[in-house]
Amino acid sequence: MRVRTSLAGVLALAALAGCSTGPSLENQGAVTAPPGDSRHLTVGSAGFTESDLLAQMYALLLNQAGYKTSFLTVANRELYEPALESGQIDVVPEYAATFADWLNAKTNGADAPPVGSPDLDATMKALRRLATPRGLTVLPPGRAVDQNAFAVTTAYAREHRLRTLSDLGASGLKVRLAAGDECVQRPYCEPGLKKVYGIDITAVDPKGVGTTPAKRAVQNGQDQMVLTTTTDATLDEFGLVLLADDKHLQNADYVVPVVNRSRAGSSGVTKALGKLNDVLTTADLASMNQQVDSWRRLAEDVARTYLEDKGLLK
């Protein structure tokens, strides 16, 4: 049986999160209690389509493994991460590099050097080092990654024979980039495109990351490239195609389940959720996002159909 928590539950969570804590950070490395195996687990979602889809798949796999699940949607990491530490949420889908940097800032201050990087192994090591003292276990990542990506029109790519960002840099083309206004400073954006790929960015058009206005600006030729994500489900609608990040500028934002160790740290949970790692790809996530966002299918139905098609649900 699966139950979605009401808005009142979310408000109660917000109140409780301020006074609930996980293991004391004064005792880092001293998490010695055996991993728990609660039979009723709360699966958290950050409230956007992809997070809802992942949470639904987690719940369905856990149900099949004999666990009862309920849902709690909290669209703010500042609230759901403390709830994960305290056990109000037992499992949540996260992104390796982003979550590592978030925990690092929480632990060491906003000015701490980032620990997320394009190196997945190094990122996972840093993430687990930060998560363990908080009573959290980061399960193995799969193949799916939702990271920043850059797209151009299919016609533009065909005309200039572009498949990768290296191709664009070598072309010498002048590029006006549709992105968030922070792009001019972020190392993965304008500075990285210039330094790593030699792309001639003439201006950043501050229309946001993957927004409809940003994509339309590229579609109509006002801009030549847009910052979006690898699981963007609407690129085809705008006649856009991703250029491969062949020199690995972007951080390793692979999908990872994060669990509360004292309630969901058992091998049963790890085994149930690990089944998804063998099949779920970035392209699969993009396709499911499209089914929910463009075709208006319910996330639960899309998640169930996907798992059945992959032979993971009986």
Side-chain angles (χ1 to χ4, degrees):
M1 180 180 67
R2 281 167 288 133
V3 181
R4 182 169 292 279
T5 301
S6 67
L7 176 61
V10 174
L11 294 176
L13 170 62
L16 288 169
C19 58
S20 298
T21 61
S24 170
L25 294 184
E26 295 175 359
N27 298 316
Q28 291 195 12
V31 181
T32 57
D37 193 27
S38 173
R39 306 310 293 178
H40 191 144
L41 300 174
T42 299
V43 181
S45 167
F48 57 93
T49 296
E50 188 168 292
S51 188
D52 285 345
L53 283 164
L54 289 164
Q56 291 284 354
M57 287 189 285
Y58 289 179
L60 289 165
L61 291 170
L62 289 168
N63 292 160
Q64 182 166 261
Y67 297 89
K68 292 183 178 180
T69 58
S70 58
F71 286 99
L72 188 59
T73 300
V74 186
N76 187 320
R77 191 178 275 116
E78 283 75 12
L79 290 177
Y80 75 66
E81 189 279 331
L84 186 61
E85 290 187 30
S86 68
Q88 293 166 283
I89 293 175
D90 301 307
V91 55
V92 69
E94 263 292 357
Y95 301 92
T98 295
F99 196 44
D101 283 337
W102 193 88
L103 287 179
N104 186 44
K106 182 176 181 179
T107 303
N108 299 312
D111 295 331
V115 295
S117 75
D119 185 326
L120 177 59
D121 290 340
T123 296
M124 288 297 296
K125 183 177 180 180
L127 174 55
R128 286 173 168 146
R129 183 177 66 247
L130 290 159
T132 297
R134 296 182 177 277
L136 307 180
T137 296
V138 183
L139 302 186
R143 299 157 61 192
V145 57
D146 185 353
Q147 59 191 174
N148 293 302
F150 297 90
V152 299
T153 66
T154 302
Y156 186 83
R158 184 183 303 116
E159 178 185 359
H160 300 290
R161 298 183 180 180
L162 306 176
R163 296 181 62 188
T164 68
L165 290 171
S166 287
D167 291 340
L168 182 56
S171 73
L173 293 165
K174 295 185 181 300
V175 175
R176 181 176 162 94
L177 174 64
D181 53 10
E182 72 280 1
C183 177
V184 297
Q185 297 178 329
R186 296 288 175 85
Y188 67 79
C189 204
E190 180 183 2
L193 291 173
K194 289 180 174 179
K195 180 179 179 180
V196 175
Y197 288 107
I199 298 173
D200 186 0
I201 305 293
T202 60
V204 172
D205 187 4
K207 284 185 164 58
V209 179
T211 63
T212 295
K215 292 172 189 171
R216 283 181 178 160
V218 176
Q219 184 183 38
N220 64 29
Q222 177 184 343
D223 300 329
Q224 286 72 51
M225 187 163 68
V226 60
L227 170 62
T228 182
T229 66
T230 52
T231 60
D232 189 325
T234 66
L235 294 179
D236 286 346
E237 297 174 22
F238 295 90
L240 303 178
V241 62
L242 293 180
L243 296 181
D245 179 22
D246 53 310
K247 293 185 179 178
H248 307 293
L249 172 63
Q250 303 304 320
N251 282 346
D253 262 329
Y254 284 75
V255 174
V256 290
V258 182
V259 304
N260 177 289
R261 184 178 187 272
S262 67
R263 289 182 49 81
S266 69
S267 60
V269 170
T270 300
K271 183 178 180 180
L273 298 183
K275 292 180 179 180
L276 197 57
N277 287 355
D278 295 332
V279 298
L280 185 65
T281 67
T282 304
D284 292 341
L285 270 182
S287 174
M288 285 189 282
N289 285 338
Q290 182 181 39
Q291 292 176 58
V292 175
D293 291 337
S294 298
W295 304 354
R296 302 304 180 192
R297 294 187 63 195
L298 295 175
E300 180 178 3
D301 293 342
V302 173
R304 182 182 296 278
T305 299
Y306 176 80
L307 293 178
E308 289 174 348
D309 288 348
K310 296 296 183 179
L312 298 183
L313 281 188
K314 298 178 181 178

